[in-house]
Amino acid sequence: MRPDSLNPLFRPLSALKGVGKAVAPLVEKLVGGDKVVDLLWHLPSGRVDRRFSPPIDDAPDGVLVTLTVTVETHQEPAPRSPAPYRVICRDDTGFVTLVFFRARSKYIQDMLPVGEIRVVSGKMERYGGTPQIVHPTHMVPLAEEETVRRVEPIYPMTQGVAGKVLLRLIGQALAAVPEVPEWQDASLLEREGWPAFNAALTAVHAPLEAEDLAPENPNRRRLAYDELLSSQLALLLVRRAARSVKGRPIKGTGVLRGKVLSALPFALTGAQKRSVAEIDGDMAGDARMLRLLQGDVGSGKTVVALLAALNAVEAGAQAAIMAPTEILARQHLETLTPLCAAAGVRLGLLTGRDKGKARTAILAALVAGDIDILVGTHALFQEDVTFHDLAVAVVDEQHRFGVHQRLALSAKGRAVDVLVMTATPIPRTLTLTHYGDMDVSRLDEKPPGREPADTRALPIERLEEVIAGIQRAISTGSKVYWVCPLVEESETGDMAAAEERHLLLTEMLGPRVGLVHGRMKGAEKDAVMAAFSGDGLDVLVATTVIEVGVNVPSARVMVIEHAERFGLAQLHQLRGRIGRGGGKSTCLLLYASPLGETARARLETMRRTDDGFEIAEEDLRLRGAGEVLGTRQSGMPNFRLCPDPLAVQDLIEIARKDAEVIVARDPELSSPRGEALKLLLYLFERDAAVRTLRSG
Ligand code: ADP
Ligand code: MG
């Protein structure tokens, strides 16, 4: 249970003073949460410094100043005159005019009595040589000057929430923070020069200098590290708990694998062998497997998945292989069918498109154990899908699946081993922060004989030349992908662009040009894809629906239109679709000028390298983590205090090691530091991790 001392922070944010019904949802959206604690993590993005108090004569133009002045005269405009209300003030060096548009005279007269001294703050401007301040933000008697002459944080704002309101709410949230014991290692604090949590939090919300806002600021880094450690510790605790669920040792006989391997027209790469051995080791152990297989497009993950599945089948159990899309599931089935036939292994397919009798028949065969390996899409999670004895689940292209779905699947059998495969090579730091609960295998070696695609960037003005080149490629038997970009704001816009391109290419190249896009029905899509991978079509115009996984060996040319709009990872994935059948392949990146700096760097990276891991690191550098992982689709953990993992890359590694040491030495978090760490876990809402502890 969460300690009482933290409870005030976990009240709904609407319980604070000054949040009306209308404002609460706006604030919640702004700070990304509906609890008081969420306000704490909403850090200032700037500051207003009102400490500069020059004499009037020395006050520079356009600068925020706080002046101490004597009120001299009021110039009230005539009724209904558009002129502003002016108040002339002075100090020893000169005069300043305070200007108010559409102001209530009474209010101004009360605030600025003639002959009195006032401390006023605002932006100094010279209007026709006369110093003036329009709508000063502060006008207080000398006795209250403390309330003015200081620095105030500026927070990221949203429409409908006044800055002052937000400031007051965050003030209340800060006041609700209890004094906490130190959960960080003393030597780390000393080495990094970090203050205690309470001090750091207070300081972060009261930036004085511009440096205080930088990610390198020690207060900010301390808090970022707190969050990172909570995340790494939580991942390790969850991982340990998941593994302590007794799995079942699965040890295949090797008979089916032997048959499949001899039916393969190639030998496994070293990386494939190593990954299979790692998987076998996991499956043979009695803890359950939770392994991530990272491998670039074309690195040969499918075979590894099949071998993992066969291991289970040989042991008399079942396997599931899940793909993120219908097309991919069917493609897997197609690839696996001849191999499984060679070994007498029974394959089944279940997708959202199977309905009625066909579906009932599949489900019946599945529960009876008449299907050994079930290939499918999300449909595999549906509640009425029951396996006879599911031992291993392979989830392909993980970033399209949420963590919840991963869990839902593993709930379908007794301690199901889970192998997650991703074609997005992930930078090491992100692997740690997002898949820290998994073991990792990397397919970092491509099957032999594959030449990297010749990649060129061309301005869209050279479209006709490109089409002529395509004509030549087709005449030598190549197939061509033509990718049109996704315009997020308007799906219909995409369709229109793709349809228009399809029309043009049909005019210039003849009827063997197909079109596939996201709005098409499944069966329609399949028909077009089939025609393209068979011999009905030479060119396939597509929106990014082809991004994931489709395999057409004779496709040797890819044109990507508006390549500047794609992310690096996406470009890399797309390019991986060509040249899969060996031989030379070409990738043309068509861009619209002028190219921005980031876009130029991306295209240059694409030209330079074919190494997915290198591209991933570069992508991270250019874009930031959320986009690399497609955070939004997958509901990945989102860091509040370190939105930019590059700035804290070093800390991620330290946090991982730190967490490993903690779990090794004090696995139940029962030492004094352990108790403090529990508080940390609660503070960052890693309650599930605390619950894995005996004392949790
Ligand atoms: P991924 O799913 O990782 O993108 P695939 O499993 O679809 O890659 O494999 C890509 C292609 O490489 C397929 O045609 C597959 O048959 C072939 N392949 C896989 N492993 C090897 C290997 N060791 N040697 C040669 N070709 C291979
Ligand atoms: Mg694949």
Side-chain angles (χ1 to χ4, degrees):
M1 272 244 302
R2 184 192 308 131
D4 289 343
S5 66
L6 291 184
N7 283 342
L9 290 175
F10 287 88
R11 283 175 300 159
L13 167 167
S14 54
L16 294 175
K17 279 192 283 274
V19 226
K21 277 219 168 60
V23 173
L26 298 175
V27 177
E28 287 167 12
K29 190 139 183 276
L30 175 67
V31 304
D34 58 4
K35 290 179 288 309
V36 174
V37 72
D38 295 304
L39 287 163
L40 299 178
W41 315 142
H42 192 66
L43 302 189
S45 53
R47 71 205 213 295
V48 231
D49 188 345
R50 298 189 188 283
R51 290 173 298 177
F52 185 41
S53 307
I56 293 172
D57 242 17
D58 295 348
D61 238 13
V63 168
L64 191 61
V65 292
T66 300
L67 308 174
T68 306
V69 295
T70 306
V71 180
E72 197 83 343
T73 46
H74 282 234
Q75 297 179 350
E76 192 178 351
R80 279 180 299 281
S81 152
Y85 194 123
R86 292 193 172 86
V87 181
I88 319 283
C89 305
R90 65 161 172 79
D91 68 5
D92 296 344
T93 66
F95 292 89
V96 62
T97 309
L98 309 182
V99 182
F100 303 86
F101 292 94
R102 285 183 300 276
R104 280 188 302 118
S105 305
K106 170 85 168 56
Y107 168 77
I108 296 171
Q109 285 149 13
D110 287 348
M111 293 300 283
L112 300 164
V114 170
E116 297 277 315
I117 295 178
R118 285 292 178 267
V119 177
V120 301
S121 186
K123 185 146 73 149
M124 187 61 140
E125 281 160 321
R126 283 191 169 68
Y127 185 75
T130 311
Q132 64 171 42
I133 295 176
V134 180
H135 292 181
T137 51
H138 296 72
M139 296 173 276
V140 301
L142 209 47
E144 293 168 33
E145 74 170 320
E146 289 305 289
T147 62
V148 184
R149 231 184 285 277
R150 58 180 191 188
V151 187
E152 263 179 17
I154 302 176
Y155 290 97
M157 293 299 300
T158 185
Q159 206 141 51
V161 184
K164 279 191 182 154
V165 170
L166 191 62
L167 208 62
R168 244 180 286 133
L169 292 180
I170 291 175
Q172 290 178 62
L174 285 169
V177 179
E179 199 68 33
V180 296
E182 186 54 74
W183 45 65
Q184 297 297 1
D185 182 52
S187 61
L188 177 72
L189 294 179
E190 194 180 339
R191 193 184 78 206
E192 301 285 337
W194 288 344
F197 172 81
N198 293 91
L201 187 64
T202 310
V204 154
H205 282 281
L208 287 179
E209 311 301 334
E211 301 91 84
D212 296 344
L213 297 160
E216 305 82 51
N217 172 268
N219 298 302
R220 288 206 173 213
R221 265 170 77 85
R222 148 92 214 208
L223 296 183
Y225 189 77
D226 285 335
E227 183 175 32
L228 288 172
L229 182 66
S230 77
S231 147
Q232 286 304 313
L233 190 55
L235 284 168
L236 287 187
L237 291 174
V238 167
R239 166 198 172 105
R240 197 190 47 155
R243 257 151 257 240
S244 70
V245 174
K246 277 276 177 274
R248 44 198 295 212
I250 297 277
K251 253 185 138 154
T253 56
V255 174
L256 300 176
R257 276 186 177 179
K259 289 183 185 159
V260 166
L261 287 174
S262 54
L264 282 177
F266 49 77
L268 297 186
T269 63
Q272 283 170 323
K273 282 188 195 147
R274 196 180 61 233
S275 301
V276 170
E278 285 162 351
I279 291 165
D280 286 354
D282 287 355
M283 289 178 73
D286 55 15
R288 78 207 272 201
M289 170 167 78
L290 194 50
R291 181 168 288 277
L292 178 70
L293 178 66
Q294 291 188 349
D296 224 335
V297 174
S299 60
K301 292 185 294 297
T302 316
V303 179
V304 176
L306 176 60
L307 293 174
L310 289 176
N311 199 35
V313 177
E314 285 172 4
Q318 291 169 303
I321 300 179
M322 286 199 310
T325 65
E326 185 91 31
I327 294 182
L328 258 174
R330 287 179 191 280
Q331 184 130 41
H332 275 327
L333 188 78
E334 221 167 274
T335 314
L336 299 181
T337 299
L339 296 173
C340 287
V345 171
R346 296 159 301 178
L347 267 178
L349 177 72
L350 183 67
T351 72
R353 233 185 282 162
D354 298 301
K355 302 237 161 68
K357 276 202 188 125
R359 185 163 190 279
T360 314
I362 297 167
L363 294 186
L366 191 65
V367 74
D370 294 337
I371 291 175
D372 298 314
I373 302 177
L374 183 64
V375 177
T377 54
H378 296 69
L380 296 190
F381 304 121
Q382 283 158 7
E383 245 169 62
D384 57 344
V385 178
T386 313
F387 288 80
H388 176 65
D389 182 15
L390 180 66
V392 65
V394 180
V395 181
D396 197 1
E397 314 288 1
Q398 147 77 10
H399 62 294
R400 307 262 155 151
F401 283 106
V403 176
H404 295 294
Q405 289 155 319
R406 194 161 97 205
L407 293 176
L409 185 81
S410 61
K412 288 224 172 275
R414 289 187 287 131
V416 175
D417 285 327
V418 177
L419 178 67
V420 174
M421 306 201 294
T422 171
T424 314
I426 304 164
R428 204 187 122 65
T429 43
L430 293 189
T431 311
L432 278 182
T433 51
H434 293 81
Y435 301 96
D437 58 335
M438 300 191 180
D439 293 306
V440 179
S441 297
R442 281 186 162 203
L443 288 181
D444 48 11
E445 176 190 352
K446 292 225 167 128
R450 207 162 300 148
E451 272 183 65
D454 176 15
T455 301
R456 276 175 264 167
L458 299 169
I460 187 74
E461 287 74 28
R462 290 170 66 180
L463 186 63
E464 281 190 24
E465 238 176 283
V466 169
I467 296 176
I470 280 174
Q471 179 91 66
R472 286 194 297 278
I474 294 172
S475 67
T476 64
S478 283
K479 302 230 168 190
V480 179
Y481 282 114
W482 191 292
V483 183
C484 297
L486 208 82
V487 185
E488 258 183 60
E489 309 85 73
S490 127
E491 203 184 337
T492 41
D494 297 350
M495 300 309 133
E499 272 160 10
E500 191 189 311
R501 190 53 77 223
H502 176 242
L503 201 66
L504 177 75
L505 292 175
T506 311
E507 270 167 24
M508 300 192 61
L509 300 169
R512 288 170 59 82
V513 179
L515 172 65
V516 59
H517 58 65
R519 281 276 182 88
M520 284 162 75
K521 295 240 162 50
E524 262 179 287
K525 256 190 251 179
D526 288 355
V528 179
M529 289 308 302
F532 184 62
S533 62
D535 52 56
L537 293 172
D538 294 325
V539 180
L540 183 66
V541 178
T543 53
T544 34
V545 289
I546 58 153
E547 181 192 345
V548 181
V550 180
N551 195 14
V552 180
S554 57
R556 277 189 282 274
V557 179
M558 176 172 286
V559 179
I560 304 178
E561 248 190 87
H562 281 297
E564 78 279 0
R565 293 189 195 160
F566 290 94
L568 253 184
Q570 212 176 5
L571 289 172
H572 178 63
Q573 287 245 345
L574 286 168
R575 185 172 60 181
R577 301 292 125 222
I578 54 169
R580 301 187 120 200
K584 279 206 186 325
S585 56
T586 307
C587 178
L588 300 176
L589 306 172
L590 301 188
Y591 61 84
S593 309
L595 267 185
E597 206 174 304
T598 309
R600 183 179 302 278
R602 268 193 234 126
L603 299 188
E604 182 47 38
T605 304
M606 286 299 292
R607 281 180 358 91
R608 192 185 69 234
T609 179
D610 187 37
D611 178 336
F613 288 99
E614 186 180 338
I615 288 176
E617 298 287 349
E618 185 66 14
D619 200 22
L620 175 61
R621 204 177 64 74
L622 292 174
R623 293 205 300 171
E627 287 177 85
V628 174
L629 285 161
T631 313
R632 253 156 290 145
Q633 300 114 308
S634 61
M636 289 287 190
N638 226 341
F639 290 105
R640 313 287 301 272
L641 296 171
C642 27
D644 174 13
L646 278 182
V648 293
Q649 204 150 2
D650 55 331
L651 296 184
I652 293 172
E653 308 263 345
I654 300 174
R656 177 63 167 198
K657 295 215 183 76
D658 205 352
E660 277 167 3
V661 171
I662 292 164
V663 172
R665 288 206 193 135
D666 183 17
E668 293 297 328
L669 302 186
S670 49
S671 69
R673 184 183 176 199
E675 289 295 334
L677 283 163
K678 273 189 231 167
L679 210 61
L680 171 71
L681 290 170
Y682 278 118
L683 188 61
F684 285 99
E685 299 177 66
R686 319 277 180 194
D687 300 29
V690 190
R691 278 197 293 273
T692 68
L693 303 170
R694 242 176 275 137
S695 59

